[in-house]
Amino acid sequence: MERFLVEGGRRLSGRVRVRGAKNSALKLMAASLLAQGEHRIGDVPNIADITTMRAVLERLGCTVESRADGEHIGVPAEPGLEAPYELVRQMRASIVVLGPLLARRGRARVAMPGGCNIGSRKIDLHLKGLERMGATIGFDHGYLDATGSLRGTDIALDWPSHGATENLMMAATLAKGATTIENAARDPEIVDLAEYLTKMGAKISGAGTQTIVIDGVDGLHAASHDTVPDRLEAGTYLIAAATAGGDVLIERARADHLDIVLSKLADAGAEVDETLDGIRLKMSERPKPVDFVTLPYPGFPTDLQPQMMVLCALASGTSIATENVFENRFMFVDELVRMGADIRTEGHHAVIRGVHELQAAPVRAPDIRAGAALVIAALAAQGTTEVTGLANIDRGYEALEDGLGALGAQIVREAAAPARAS
Ligand code: EPZ
């Protein structure tokens, strides 16, 4: 079993460059299906989910070549219609090929994505929106089978779903007439996708606000775009430094994408400065307790909740964390408690009583962000911590050990121990 061995008790210092956002790059790659031709998408992180999305595009008849300046995607006149289960199972975000394929071909078959550790991950808002645009969506042996020529309409999302906003925005670019998405997600990755679609010739206004208007056009053309920096990778490094202590510069981190996170880190006692290069954070004392509530952007990001819980676990007092986005995102707390944290969860709330130190203990990453959080806990723990479940971490971070290593962390990735001769 591959594992990290993390040496605890070291303060962090140095600088690290943030890569392009996983939660944008995946959708940018899916959006390329909307236009025949040679697309280039730059600053795509080299992570497992991107590998899966490359495979999905190739299965749909595209060519995908990774070069120094990004992913070069050749989209054919008629992409295929089916995203198979064995790929969708690996990466549920594959569901975002549904909108582009339906818009481009009038037909799409996409395997139903599974849930995951943090929640059921429903897609009803995606499907209801597409049906309002005129799609007929059937279920056939675990596959969504969608057909129909799309027309513009008004859609109000019950919840500002990140993925539903993206799927519907992409579908609407080629629909007949105008589509309005009310209660749209406002994340920076939505703005990034709208910028790429606009370069492809789409007519979109309001991306980044709760109302997005898309005027359908007859056709789009290939384009070139660089992925927005990953605010979640940046936030992970910042919280790591606030937890372990130190003085770090996170290059290309966009403070305007992390307002509430930076405000909470300052409340915890960190000195946070926006510089021309990115964000600098200094932390010289034990964190102060901080209450935080996860909400859709621009609220505190659910994808930094596990990391922030670790900071609070070592604070000089009691913090209350509230998780409003996913129904099961406190799963990793049990692992943290095994390292000596004093946390009680009650439904959507967690009461975190700060302790003076955490102890190294073998822990396992249950999902991407909880995995990063456990590595952060290991950085602050006494002793050397073994972290397994690296496949989950590698889905969302390109060599997390190198990123944190650049800041002075001592993390060794050990290959799976050879199976003992039986
Ligand atoms: C995206 O997931 C991200 N993933 C998630 O990051 C992130 O946590 C999430 O947005 C929220 O910001 C990618 O972009 C690949 P949602 P997504 O649709 O689009 C409910 C990570 O670690 N919902 O905003 O699936 C849903 O059940 C991952 O990088 C419906 O009820 O998120 C959930 O409770 C984890 N019906 C809530 O909305 C729907 O049709 C948020 O889901 C869709 C969603």
Side-chain angles (χ1 to χ4, degrees):
M1 174 95 66
E2 218 187 9
R3 64 183 184 171
F4 281 155
L5 291 179
V6 184
E7 186 187 315
R10 301 171 67 93
R11 294 170 66 77
L12 298 185
S13 67
R15 51 199 303 162
V16 66
R17 181 183 184 278
V18 164
R19 296 181 177 83
K22 156 178 106 71
N23 291 349
S24 180
L26 291 171
K27 306 0 159 13
L28 297 173
M29 290 173 76
S32 67
L33 290 165
L34 285 162
Q36 177 182 2
E38 296 299 317
H39 299 250
R40 183 198 64 84
I41 300 171
D43 228 343
V44 172
N46 185 20
I47 54 178
D49 275 3
I50 293 293
T51 304
T52 305
M53 184 56 86
R54 283 194 201 106
V56 169
L57 292 181
E58 285 166 346
R59 184 69 68 91
L60 293 170
C62 302
T63 56
V64 187
E65 192 190 338
S66 300
R67 295 189 206 149
D69 64 345
E71 300 295 312
H72 287 253
I73 303 171
V75 178
E78 293 209 335
L81 295 174
E82 180 166 310
Y85 176 66
E86 77 266 15
L87 291 174
V88 176
R89 175 176 58 81
Q90 293 171 41
M91 198 252 312
R92 51 175 313 286
S94 314
I95 189 69
V96 294
V97 303
L98 182 60
L101 284 181
L102 197 50
R104 185 84 191 283
R105 297 292 317 276
R107 176 93 200 272
R109 261 174 71 79
V110 179
M112 289 282 283
C116 69
N117 267 330
I118 60 178
S120 63
R121 311 302 293 274
K122 293 187 291 183
I123 56 168
D124 57 314
L125 300 178
H126 299 239
L127 305 184
K128 271 195 291 194
L130 291 171
E131 285 167 341
R132 274 190 63 76
M133 294 173 77
T136 303
I137 302 177
F139 299 88
D140 163 36
H141 296 88
Y143 278 75
L144 292 163
D145 205 330
T147 55
S149 66
L150 302 179
R151 58 180 184 280
T153 183
D154 293 338
I155 298 168
L157 294 176
D158 300 3
W159 174 271
S161 155
H162 193 141
T165 301
E166 290 159 335
N167 234 338
L168 297 172
M169 184 165 73
M170 287 189 280
T173 57
L174 294 177
K176 296 262 176 297
T179 298
T180 300
I181 304 174
E182 290 292 355
N183 198 22
R186 298 161 56 187
D187 304 66
E189 296 78 24
I190 304 283
V191 175
D192 200 35
L193 176 59
E195 284 173 5
Y196 178 49
L197 291 169
T198 303
K199 287 177 181 174
M200 291 167 66
K203 304 242 178 300
I204 301 173
S205 60
T209 75
Q210 73 268 24
T211 304
I212 304 177
V213 180
I214 306 103
D215 284 318
V217 295
D218 292 339
L220 297 173
H221 52 78
S224 171
H225 183 74
D226 290 318
T227 310
V228 68
D230 194 329
R231 62 193 164 97
L232 301 173
E233 184 187 10
T236 301
Y237 292 140
L238 289 164
I239 296 172
T243 305
D247 181 353
V248 299
L249 174 70
I250 314 303
E251 291 174 10
R252 282 187 6 119
R254 298 252 319 243
D256 58 327
H257 292 167
L258 287 161
D259 284 332
I260 200 155
V261 176
L262 301 183
S263 159
K264 291 295 176 183
L265 290 173
D267 291 348
E271 192 183 324
V272 180
D273 293 300
E274 186 178 357
T275 75
L276 285 178
D277 299 332
I279 299 173
R280 182 171 183 184
L281 180 141
K282 286 190 248 182
M283 185 67 151
S284 50
E285 81 262 11
R286 184 180 177 191
K288 297 182 185 75
V290 169
D291 295 344
F292 66 100
V293 174
T294 69
L295 284 167
Y297 191 90
F300 192 95
T302 176
D303 293 340
L304 291 176
Q305 174 261 93
Q307 301 90 318
M308 198 67 187
M309 293 270 273
V310 175
L311 179 72
C312 295
L314 286 159
S316 54
T318 298
S319 309
I320 309 276
T322 304
E323 171 56 58
N324 289 316
V325 178
F326 288 105
E327 67 269 26
N328 192 23
R329 203 160 198 175
F330 288 143
M331 280 276 283
F332 83 109
V333 165
D334 296 343
E335 294 294 282
L336 217 41
V337 168
R338 294 183 55 244
M339 295 179 73
D342 180 352
I343 303 175
R344 277 186 47 244
T345 61
E346 196 68 45
H348 283 261
H349 302 288
V351 178
I352 310 150
R353 291 189 180 82
V355 296
H356 278 280
E357 69 170 20
L358 296 173
Q359 288 88 37
V363 289
R364 181 171 175 70
D367 63 73
I368 300 173
R369 309 301 175 181
L374 291 169
V375 172
I376 292 173
L379 292 176
Q382 293 312 313
T384 299
T385 298
E386 177 195 75
V387 182
T388 53
L390 300 196
N392 282 326
I393 297 176
D394 292 343
R395 279 193 50 210
Y397 293 92
E398 184 176 337
L400 182 62
E401 70 273 27
D402 294 346
L404 290 170
L407 300 176
Q410 289 294 313
I411 304 176
V412 172
R413 181 189 288 250
E414 270 197 352
R420 273 190 295 279
S422 51

